[in-house]
Each structure stands twice: as structure tokens, then as C-alpha cells.
Amino acid sequence: MKRRLGVPEGELSRMRFLSRIVQQYPGWIIAVVLLTTAFFAYGALHLTFATDVQSFFPENDPRLVSFKDISDTFGYAEYVLAVVSADDVFTVPVIEALDGLTRELERVPGVASVRSLTNVEHVRGTAWGIEVARLMEALPRTEEEVAAFRERVLGSDSVAERFVSEDERHTIILVQLGANVDRDATVRALRDVVRRYSDRLEVRLTGGPALVQELNDLVRGDLARLTVPVIVVIIAVLYFSFRSAAGVLLPLASVGISVVWAMGLMGYLGVSVSQLGSAIPVVLTSIGSAYGIHVLRRFDEEWRKTHDSRRAAEQTVRSVGVAVIMSGLTTVVGFLANVFTSIVRLREFGLFMALGVLVALLVSLLFIPAVLVITRSRRAPAEAAGVAGKGGAQALAGTGGKARRQQGGAGGLPGVTAASSRPGMLERLGRWVTRHPAVPIAAGLAVAALSLTGFARLEVDNDYIRFFDKRSETRQAYQLVQQQFGGVETVQIVLEGDVLEPAALRAMEALQKELDTMPLLSGSMSVADLVKEVGRALNEDDPAYAVIPDTRPAVAQYLLLLSFAGDALLDQFLTPDQTMAKIEVSVATTSAKEREELLARIEELAHQYLDGFGRVVVTGVPFLMDRMAEMITSGQIQSLARSVLGVLVLLWIMVRSLGAALLCLVPILLTIVINFGVMGWADIKFDIVTALIASVVVGVGIDYSIHVYSRYREEVEAGRSAAEAVVVTLATTGRAVLLNAAAVATGLLVLLLSAFPPLRIFGALTALTMGVASAGAMTVLTALLVRIDQARQVRRTGAAAAR
């Protein structure tokens, strides 16, 4: 099979086919691309947003199924929590304002119930049995009345523990939302009510629905906030590279089209934008601009030779097309590796990034040359040549090799051009690498060894609250509830069976006592507590009677009285058919390691105490977070392995040499190790966002190795020695690699402006890895190529001497 630079003739024939399409049908290409872009732009208008924990799980995940089943049975387990802070909550002005706020929150559409100090109910005895009445019978008007109210609150352990902090400076309002309501709209309405009380109370909202609503708004804000800066950055890079309007607008158009197609397809398919999805435009713009740069530079070079736009476009697609496709496909493979993960949002990010890169690749190869065919054909040759010369003076790697080899270069080396006889920095780097190849190889090994020590410190953690800035009121309120009230999230333990049997209720009671003694757990509650409240109320509020009755009929009678009294809490802990009962306990930790150990112990105790009385199910948001940590650890390791293997196979197919493919992977593997080492030493957690970095490095960073190796092979096949080929490669392709890496890194650094701290870390680390990958390709890879050539020379010399 005929080959050119390691590329099979079949690939070249396909490039000739594409080049003829561009040459013959430029108008049709432009029309189809623009019409398709308009179609997808309409789809982008229908984008929705979803940032809740549940949206990260596949619908059939066992833990999600359990969580939804229990939520459907007992009502939504999460609340909006309004945290009220004051120097002392037991004062007339605070209680008066708290009462007014509670009443207004109750009137918000979409709210099912509101519970606060001013309307919380308790069970008390009457001459006819029991009744459920408000703890605050009337609004206190004097300090004496406030003191009496305070005594009643603190005398009720369940009320005091749930609604008042130990230092009496904080109280919470529990707002339960109705089923099938627009949660975001309801939370915004709650925020409006809270703002009206800002002059009277310090109130901050938190809890699951409030967190999700703020995250959704932050995602929308990120899409708007990051778009303009990344465009400005890419424009600056393009202008620096080309110094022409076409050099700026055409590559920018290619990435803009790819972003519109990717986001539009998400809109049509009903795929919601998550925290990760908000980064797609920035990452895609940063990565996708490189393909347009490659094509435009080669077109300018070909245009200067002939001043024939059609011939220039045809030759551009034929020559640079293979290299661009090789780079693009490896990037696509890197992102597609995430499609096999169990985490839905990672899967979506990988899929739509891969599609976006593929679109940017095709648009660069077809749309940009088509536009140039039409626009350049209408300009005078002299004028066009002058404009092209502004950008074409800096030819991209792998282009125009034959023309350059006809010129003398700096230091007398053919193929290296310079404005003066002094060698440039990259040429000097090339000469140094050829003289001392062992140094970059040894340095790479040393850095890898140091990084592995940091790798050992790496921890998996998917603390959901870290998506919020530390200055966020929602995060501050969340942490305040963690500290003062035992936590925002709860674990639900459900027993299905004969739950009214006194022995079953006593087992639940014993389990609760065990749970309440454990660190990080507090405020457990169940139907057993309600039964004991009835016993106490029926006996003049004597604590000695707060016990489980000895017979099942007595238990049933207590619950019947409670039902007649209208206690709304009963439905949250016991199903109407009285076959399922729930224990709920607050969890005050979000650390993955603490959570894993704690939840394992909760499950163990639940089965230990309750297994003899029926089926036991343990669920809750903490269990979903624990499951996500498991999926991140196992899934992303598998995704990384798939991306490395996929890129290796693709490279093997492209260059027809397993050894060469493995060599190209060396800088990437080194970069991955360094990235994880930096994360370990900097105490950056391995979470759902940073887990993406490795696949981005594999898919994008391999481009630098491809360009360096392809140019090196081109120079060797032209008759140069390995040392000469390395010098020429770095003096020419090296500059393009640095510009490409700088463009990608600078674009990704725009993520530092994101509202999400994990995305800021992702931007900074990915930018760092681009620098490491490009430096590794120009030093470690070229040093390995020189050493391999030296080894071959030694073997040849030995074989000749033996003969």
C-alpha cells in the first residue's frame, strides 16, 4: 500500500474526495452549514437546566429507585430551610417578625406546609383525650410571656432540638413544597418573601430545593458570563496569529457553529444543562479553534503560491486534512470514553463534547475553505497576496515542508527559516535535546516519581456544597445548619411489615437511641416517638408515661387518637395502611470518607435491630452522594483506561506502528501522572468535575505528540538524520504547538470566572496539563526519538563489525 508520512493511500484518496467537494460546491457547503446552524440555534432556545443530585444517576440505579420510592410513599424528604439568626431568638420583636414571616411563607403558591417556632404543634391531653395544638397559643407581647413561651419550647425535646440552636441565637423554618410544583419558581417566591423581612430579620435559605434553584441560576449565569470572555480570548489569540479579519472570523465561526449545534441538539433531545454542561461552550471553543487555525494557515500558504482560491482550498484539504482529522478523532475518542460511565451528567458532557469537536473538525475542513474559495476569488491577486502574507508568514507545523527545504536556514540547516542568522529559542531547544536526550527523559521520570507521591494523597470527594462559593449565603446557611441543627440532609430507614407490633416499635426506639449516640447524627424521629407523645399527653404530661404500650390494640388506639387530633406529622412517618414506618435522622457530614463509614454503620444497625420484623430499606440523599463517589472512583478509572486504549488503537491505525503510537502516548501518560500528583499535593479532591481532566488530557494533549511525531517522520523521510529532524521539527512545528497549547490553555482559564469553584479548578488544572503535554511532546518525545535512533545506529554498527 502506498503511503505518505505514514498515512495510507486510502486516507489520502478520501482527502482528495473532500477537496473536490470544496472546490466544486463551495456555495452549497456554506448554505447547508448556515441553514443547519439556524435549525440548531432554535433548538438551543429550548434548553432546560437540572443540577440536582438525582439527575446525575441513571433511572434504574438501585439507590435512586429506593430513594424515589420512599419519597413517593412518605412525601418529598427534602425541605427548604429558612435559617433565622439573632442575638436572642426569644425576644418580642424577633418572635413577632418570625410569626409574620411564617404566615407569609404559608401563602406562597407551591408550598405544602410551613413549620416554625410560632406554629409548631404538640400533643397535649384534654378532658376528652388528646389534641394537637400550637405550642404558641398567642403571640407574646411582653417579656414575661416570651419567657413562658421559651420554657414551653425548651421543655419539649423534639421541638427544641429541631427548631432552636443550643445558644438560642438561631432558629429554623421548615418549608415543605408540594408535589409536582415548579420548585425553582416556588423557591424564588420564598426568596422574595424573605427579602421583605430583611430589615427585621437575618434570614438565609438552604436545603435541597434552595440549593438546586441557586445552582440552576448559576448555570444560566455561567453560560452568559463565560461566553464573552472566551470569545475575547480566542479573538486575541487569532489576531496575534493572523493579523487579519479572515484569520479571526473564520476560526471563530467554526467553533461558534460547533457550540450552536451541540447545545441545539441538547435542546431538541431534552437533555438538561448541568453544572458540567455549562462548561461545554468554553471548553469546545478553546479546543475547537485549533482546527480552523491549521486549515487557515495552510490555505494562506497555498494561496501565496498560486493566487487561485479553488486550487488553494483543494490543496489545503488534501495536505492538512489528514493531520487535522487525526488530531480531531483522538480528541473525540478521549471525550467518548466518558459515555460509558454510570454518571449521567459525565456521560452527557463526554457525548456532546465529542459531537461538538466532530462538528468543529468538519466545519474547519469544509466550511472555512468554502468561504475562502468564494471570498478570495473576488479579490485581485496582488491585494489578496498582501493580505495573506500578513498571516501566512507564520506557517503552521507540517505545512509547506518542501518549499522550506529549498531555503537556507539559521545555522545552515535546511528547512529552518529565520529573520537573521541567529537560531531561535525553539531551534536552540532542539539542538540541546539532540545533544542531551537523557536529560529530559531523566527529568520526566523524576517528575513522574515525585508526582506519584502526591498521587497517594489524592482523595475522592463529591461534596455537593463545594459547587457554591464560600461567600454564598446558601452555602453559609447550609454550614450553619450542619453546625447548629445536625445537618440539612437526612437518612430514612423504612420498615415494612407489622409495624404496629409493640416489639417492632421498641426495636425502632432502640435503634434511634443507638443512632443518636453516634457522632454526626442527631434528631432521629419515627412513629415510635409519636406514640410515646400520646402516652405522655394522656397522663398529664408525665415523662414516665412516654413509653410504647404493651399491646398492639393500645398502640392502634393511640394512633387513632392522634389521627383524629389531626397531627400532620403522622403521614410523614406511617403509611395510611399502617404497613410501612419510617425513621428519619439528620446527618451532619458531607465528607466522602466520613460519609462512607457512617452510612455503612447505619445500614448495619438498621438490619441488626429491624430485620426480624419485616423488610428494611435505608435511603436518603447521603446514600446517593456515597453512590456517586463509588461511581466516580470506578467509572472514571475505567473511562481513563478506555480513552488511553482508544487513542492508542486509533494512533496505531493511523501511523501503522504500535511502537510509534506508544511513543506518542508517553507525554500524555506523564501529564496525567503530574496532574494527579498536583491534585494530591494541593489537596484538590477527585470529584465529578476533576475526574474529567484525564480524558481531556488524553483527547486534546495527544494532538501535540501527533504534530511533533508527524513532522519528525516527514523530515526523516526527506533524508534528514534524527538530530536534524528534531531541530527542524521544534523550529517549525514547535512554534505551532506552543501557540495551540497557549490558545487552548488561555481559553480554558476563562473558567476561572465561573461561579462554580470546581469548574475554576478544572480550568486551571486543564490549562496546566496543556502546558505539560506540549512541553512533554517537544522534549521527552523528541529525546526518546533521538535515543531510539542512537540505539539503532549502535546496532547497525555492531552488525557491520560482526560481518
Side-chain angles (χ1 to χ4, degrees):
M1 179 181 288
K2 293 182 179 180
R3 301 167 64 81
R4 178 185 170 194
L5 302 181
V7 180
E9 182 63 29
E11 296 293 334
L12 296 175
S13 66
R14 281 188 279 274
M15 290 301 100
R16 284 194 286 269
F17 172 72
L18 289 178
S19 67
R20 284 196 295 271
I21 292 178
V22 172
Q23 185 187 44
Q24 296 173 15
Y25 307 105
W28 280 103
I29 292 173
I30 295 171
V32 169
V33 169
L34 292 180
L35 287 174
T36 308
T37 302
F39 170 77
F40 282 116
Y42 182 75
L45 298 176
H46 295 82
L47 284 170
T48 56
F49 301 85
T51 58
D52 57 293
V53 175
Q54 298 177 50
S55 69
F56 284 79
F57 289 83
E59 289 294 327
N60 60 351
D61 185 90
R63 290 203 180 182
L64 180 63
V65 171
S66 295
F67 178 80
K68 286 187 172 182
D69 286 346
I70 299 307
S71 295
D72 292 341
T73 302
F74 291 96
Y76 194 56
E78 291 184 291
Y79 298 85
V80 175
L81 280 69
V83 186
V84 179
S85 302
D87 292 335
D88 183 358
V89 297
F90 290 107
T91 62
V92 171
V94 170
I95 293 176
E96 185 179 60
L98 185 64
D99 182 58
L101 176 59
T102 301
R103 294 175 187 276
E104 285 206 43
L105 292 176
E106 288 176 324
R107 292 194 290 268
V108 172
V111 170
S113 67
V114 178
R115 299 177 70 210
S116 75
L117 278 180
T118 62
N119 73 349
V120 65
E121 297 173 328
H122 72 136
V123 180
R124 66 183 182 184
T126 67
W128 302 276
I130 65 168
E131 69 174 0
V132 177
R134 289 190 175 187
L135 202 61
M136 188 182 78
E137 298 175 347
L139 190 65
R141 300 293 183 184
T142 65
E143 292 301 326
E144 290 75 15
E145 291 176 348
V146 169
F149 174 60
R150 175 180 176 276
E151 185 177 349
R152 287 197 301 274
V153 169
L154 299 183
S156 173
D157 292 339
S158 60
V159 173
E161 187 174 0
R162 285 194 162 217
F163 289 93
V164 184
S165 63
E166 190 173 346
D167 60 6
E168 299 180 17
R169 296 182 59 190
H170 309 281
T171 183
I172 59 174
I173 303 174
L174 299 177
V175 182
Q176 187 174 20
L177 306 188
N180 303 317
V181 301
D182 185 338
R183 296 187 181 279
D184 278 9
T186 303
V187 173
R188 290 192 191 97
L190 294 174
R191 293 190 190 279
D192 289 340
V193 172
V194 166
R195 274 192 288 270
R196 292 201 292 271
Y197 280 78
S198 60
D199 59 333
R200 303 166 62 185
L201 292 172
E202 182 184 349
V203 187
R204 288 165 285 187
L205 296 186
T206 189
L211 293 173
V212 170
Q213 179 268 326
E214 184 168 339
L215 281 175
N216 289 343
D217 285 354
L218 291 174
V219 167
R220 294 184 183 92
D222 252 20
L223 287 175
R225 183 185 306 106
L226 302 179
T227 299
V228 173
V230 75
I231 290 175
V232 170
V233 166
I234 297 303
I235 286 176
V237 171
L238 293 173
Y239 182 76
F240 174 76
S241 300
F242 293 101
R243 306 297 177 96
S244 69
V248 172
L249 295 178
L250 290 179
L252 193 63
S254 71
V255 294
I257 290 169
S258 67
V259 169
V260 170
W261 286 29
M263 303 303 285
L265 185 59
M266 290 177 67
Y268 280 123
L269 295 178
V271 177
S272 300
V273 180
S274 67
Q275 300 93 313
L276 299 180
S278 67
I280 288 178
V282 173
V283 180
L284 192 51
T285 300
S286 303
I287 294 171
S289 61
Y291 309 125
I293 292 174
H294 282 269
V295 171
L296 194 57
R297 281 191 177 279
R298 186 55 180 257
F299 181 91
D300 279 347
E301 183 177 343
E302 298 298 332
W303 169 250
R304 291 198 315 274
K305 297 176 184 177
T306 64
H307 305 307
D308 184 328
S309 62
R310 292 183 182 273
R311 287 178 58 188
E314 180 182 12
Q315 185 57 34
T316 295
V317 176
R318 284 188 182 185
S319 56
V320 81
V322 174
V324 170
I325 288 177
M326 286 171 64
S327 299
L329 289 182
T330 52
T331 303
V332 169
V333 168
F335 282 116
L336 281 180
N338 292 291
V339 172
F340 300 99
T341 182
S342 300
I343 302 176
V344 172
R345 294 310 182 193
L346 284 178
R347 188 189 307 163
E348 292 169 353
F349 180 87
L351 176 61
F352 287 100
M353 275 301 306
L355 289 173
V357 169
L358 195 58
V359 171
L361 177 65
L362 293 175
V363 169
S364 297
L365 284 176
L366 298 176
F367 179 77
I368 290 179
V371 172
L372 291 170
V373 165
I374 292 178
T375 56
R376 291 285 174 93
S377 65
R378 296 176 181 174
R379 294 158 65 176
E383 176 193 354
V387 175
K390 292 180 181 180
Q394 303 166 9
L396 196 63
T399 64
K402 183 177 180 180
R404 284 192 298 271
R405 286 194 290 273
Q406 295 172 351
Q407 303 174 7
L413 188 62
V416 181
T417 59
S420 69
S421 60
R422 294 182 60 189
M425 178 188 69
L426 292 176
E427 185 181 346
R428 292 197 299 272
L429 175 62
R431 294 185 185 280
W432 178 81
V433 169
T434 60
R435 294 191 188 107
H436 311 284
V439 176
I441 295 173
L445 290 173
V447 172
L450 179 62
S451 298
L452 286 173
T453 62
F455 191 98
R457 299 164 56 93
L458 190 62
E459 293 183 8
V460 177
D461 199 351
N462 57 325
D463 184 355
Y464 199 65
I465 201 64
R466 287 193 295 113
F467 276 110
F468 296 89
D469 191 275
K470 291 181 179 179
R471 296 166 293 182
S472 164
E473 285 193 6
T474 303
R475 178 167 178 170
Q476 292 174 358
Y478 183 96
Q479 292 171 334
L480 182 60
V481 173
Q482 293 274 73
Q483 297 163 3
Q484 301 291 338
F485 297 96
V488 174
E489 313 296 354
T490 59
V491 166
Q492 292 86 46
I493 303 169
V494 176
L495 174 63
E496 183 177 7
D498 190 2
V499 297
L500 300 191
E501 187 64 34
L505 290 174
R506 290 193 181 100
M508 297 174 68
E509 180 185 31
L511 173 58
Q512 287 180 251
K513 288 180 180 178
E514 183 86 25
L515 295 175
D516 287 338
T517 62
M518 293 172 59
L520 306 174
L521 296 181
S522 63
S524 70
M525 191 168 184
S526 74
V527 66
D529 295 298
L530 300 179
V531 169
K532 291 191 293 183
E533 274 193 48
V534 174
R536 178 173 176 167
L538 289 174
N539 292 274
E540 298 180 348
D541 212 27
D542 187 345
Y545 289 91
V547 295
I548 305 295
D550 292 329
T551 66
R552 193 181 189 286
V555 171
Q557 184 66 30
Y558 277 20
L559 292 175
L560 184 63
L561 290 173
L562 199 60
S563 176
F564 285 158
D567 192 342
L569 274 180
L570 185 60
D571 290 339
Q572 297 179 31
F573 293 94
L574 183 69
T575 55
D577 61 3
Q578 299 182 337
T579 61
M580 297 176 68
K582 180 181 73 171
I583 300 173
E584 192 169 270
V585 60
S586 296
V587 181
T589 177
T590 54
S591 164
K593 186 176 181 181
E594 288 180 341
R595 184 172 56 238
E596 181 182 8
E597 296 172 354
L598 184 65
L599 297 182
R601 181 58 177 161
I602 290 174
E603 280 197 290
E604 180 186 347
L605 290 172
H607 288 287
Q608 176 184 325
Y609 280 93
L610 304 178
D611 265 349
F613 301 98
R615 188 172 74 96
V616 178
V617 177
V618 187
T619 186
V621 171
F623 278 90
L624 295 182
M625 300 303 294
D626 186 58
R627 171 61 178 155
M628 191 183 298
E630 293 175 6
M631 292 191 296
I632 290 173
T633 304
S634 60
Q636 289 315 107
I637 291 175
Q638 294 173 12
S639 293
L640 176 58
R642 289 190 189 100
S643 63
V644 171
L645 181 60
V647 167
L648 175 62
V649 171
L650 192 57
L651 284 173
W652 189 3
I653 293 171
M654 289 175 174
V655 301
R656 292 296 196 271
S657 168
L658 178 59
L662 289 170
L663 273 178
C664 290
L665 275 177
V666 169
I668 300 307
L669 297 177
L670 177 62
T671 303
I672 291 171
V673 171
I674 291 174
N675 169 67
F676 286 135
V678 169
M679 288 177 60
W681 284 113
D683 196 28
I684 297 172
K685 307 301 182 185
F686 186 67
D687 59 23
I688 196 167
V689 177
T690 55
L692 286 168
I693 296 174
S695 61
V696 174
V697 170
V698 174
V700 181
I702 195 66
D703 289 6
Y704 310 132
S705 294
I706 289 175
H707 285 297
V708 168
Y709 179 78
S710 296
R711 183 55 185 269
Y712 171 83
R713 291 304 311 160
E714 180 181 351
E715 300 301 333
V716 167
E717 290 176 10
R720 293 195 174 90
S721 68
E724 290 176 334
V726 165
V727 175
V728 174
T729 297
L730 293 189
T732 54
T733 295
R735 184 177 187 279
V737 165
L738 286 182
L739 283 175
N740 193 342
V744 175
T746 307
L748 289 169
L749 285 175
V750 169
L751 288 173
L752 293 175
L753 302 176
S754 172
F756 300 118
L759 284 184
R760 296 177 206 158
I761 294 172
F762 173 82
L765 283 177
T766 310
L768 172 65
T769 58
M770 292 301 103
V772 174
S774 59
M778 291 193 297
T779 57
V780 177
L781 176 57
T782 53
L784 287 171
L785 292 170
V786 171
R787 288 306 297 263
I788 290 172
D789 181 73
Q790 290 174 349
R792 286 173 182 163
Q793 294 292 340
V794 170
R795 287 198 299 270
R796 288 171 188 165
T797 303
R803 288 197 297 269

